[in-house]
Amino acid sequence: MDRVEQGFYSGVMATLPCDLDVLRAAFPDWSLFRSDSGAFYGTRRGVRLRDADIDKGLLQTVSADDVDTFVSLLRDQGRMAVER
């Protein structure tokens, strides 16, 4: 985990409104945005998953209604990608 991620996970987002620029810095391999309804979306940047990757649980795009779930999904995907 780099220093940006460490700062993010140490509670910066717990006390501040969600800042997509902070998320983007923490997860540079993902294209992140928030919908008009407030849902968070992330799509892998420059990666096209193979069927074998998808079978292992990797996702091309993740989404969540809250930032905590969203960050958890991105972290899980990052761990799975390293294991592949």
Side-chain angles (χ1 to χ4, degrees), residues 8 13 15-23 34 40 67 70-71:
F8 179 84
M13 294 307 293
T15 59
L16 299 172
C18 179
D19 183 343
L20 280 177
D21 289 335
V22 172
L23 289 173
R34 196 164 187 191
F40 295 89
V67 69
F70 187 58
V71 168

Side-chain angles (χ1 to χ4, degrees), residues 30-81:
W30 293 82
S31 177
L32 308 178
F33 69 96
R34 196 164 187 191
S35 72
D36 291 341
S37 67
F40 295 89
Y41 289 88
T43 299
R44 291 178 188 277
R45 184 186 304 273
V47 174
R48 188 75 176 153
L49 296 177
R50 300 168 304 176
D51 288 341
D53 296 327
I54 293 168
D55 291 343
K56 292 178 183 175
L58 291 172
L59 301 170
Q60 192 70 41
T61 300
V62 298
S63 67
D65 291 330
D66 62 85
V67 69
D68 292 333
T69 303
F70 187 58
V71 168
S72 179
L73 288 168
L74 292 169
R75 290 182 75 196
D76 289 346
Q77 288 292 302
R79 279 191 293 273
M80 281 191 269

